[in-house]
Amino acid sequence: MRKSRADEFLEFASARSGHLFRSACLLTSGDIHLAEDLTQETLGRMYALWGRMARIGNPAAYAQTVLVRTFLSHQRRRSATERPIGELPDLAPLGDEDPALRVALLDALAGLAPKDRAVVVLRYWEDRSVEETADALHVSSAAIRTRSVRALAKLRRLLGGSIGELAAR
């Protein structure tokens, strides 16, 4: 029996929503409310395009691209700098990870410009190649390499020696 398009999309959304949410949390530097909004908006856009997914080929990668573009679009809005909460909320641990390390990394990611943050998340969290990242952000490969080097240097400055101390625990 052939699945309907809606059933196929529900299966896709169920399988990918957790991964999209985690990526959105990294992009938003731990703002789980905005991450939820970005994830829902991404899934809504994917549903609207679901009939044409056969031509796209890799819906999971395309969903990540839509997520990053949605995030960057949100950052360009004037209201994107409004933060309704005073401190970083606790994120549910994914395993035996150190919460202090997680908070330090999220704080450091928050210190990056939105496009730099998107490059770091796509390149190092999503493990995409330079070319895939460049394609997702509509820039040249050279621009991605330059942004990666600068963003990682800034992360090192922001984290200083604290990352070694936190990771050693």
Side-chain angles (χ1 to χ4, degrees), residues 21 24 28 31-44 67 70 74:
F21 176 71
T28 62
D31 184 344
I32 59 173
H33 302 291
L34 178 56
E36 288 172 347
D37 291 345
L38 292 174
T39 302
Q40 287 302 312
E41 189 168 340
T42 297
L43 290 173
L67 175 69
T70 302
H74 178 270

Side-chain angles (χ1 to χ4, degrees), residues 38-59:
L38 292 174
T39 302
Q40 287 302 312
E41 189 168 340
T42 297
L43 290 173
R45 289 180 183 188
M46 290 296 293
Y47 183 75
L49 297 169
W50 196 250
R52 296 180 287 198
M53 276 298 125
R55 287 187 295 176
I56 291 174
N58 187 347

Side-chain angles (χ1 to χ4, degrees), residues 1-157:
M1 179 179 207
R2 180 167 154 70
K3 290 183 186 176
S4 71
R5 282 192 346 212
D7 290 337
E8 289 174 355
F9 177 77
L10 283 174
E11 186 177 309
F12 169 81
S14 296
R16 296 300 301 171
S17 61
H19 188 76
L20 287 169
F21 176 71
R22 286 189 298 277
S23 294
C25 281
L26 289 171
L27 287 169
T28 62
S29 301
D31 184 344
I32 59 173
H33 302 291
L34 178 56
E36 288 172 347
D37 291 345
L38 292 174
T39 302
Q40 287 302 312
E41 189 168 340
T42 297
L43 290 173
R45 289 180 183 188
M46 290 296 293
Y47 183 75
L49 297 169
W50 196 250
R52 296 180 287 198
M53 276 298 125
R55 287 187 295 176
I56 291 174
N58 187 347
Y62 190 74
Q64 288 299 132
T65 299
V66 170
L67 175 69
V68 170
R69 289 180 186 163
T70 302
F71 165 73
L72 291 174
S73 174
H74 178 270
Q75 291 301 304
R76 284 189 290 268
R77 291 187 208 131
R78 192 173 196 69
S79 63
T81 58
E82 295 176 5
R83 299 216 25 128
I85 54 176
E87 54 189 73
L88 187 67
D90 291 334
L91 295 175
L94 297 175
D96 294 336
E97 299 166 355
D98 183 10
L101 177 61
R102 174 181 285 231
V103 170
L105 290 173
L106 288 174
D107 286 344
L109 278 173
L112 295 177
K115 285 187 179 180
D116 290 344
R117 200 175 322 146
V119 168
V120 169
V121 169
L122 287 173
R123 285 281 293 128
Y124 303 104
W125 172 256
E126 295 295 325
D127 199 26
R128 290 194 184 189
S129 69
V130 170
E131 292 75 22
E132 291 171 329
T133 304
D135 189 43
L137 297 176
H138 293 299
V139 297
S140 69
S141 296
I144 295 299
R145 284 190 289 275
T146 301
R147 279 194 179 273
S148 294
V149 168
R150 290 180 183 163
L152 290 175
K154 185 165 185 179
L155 281 175
R156 284 185 195 100
R157 278 194 312 275

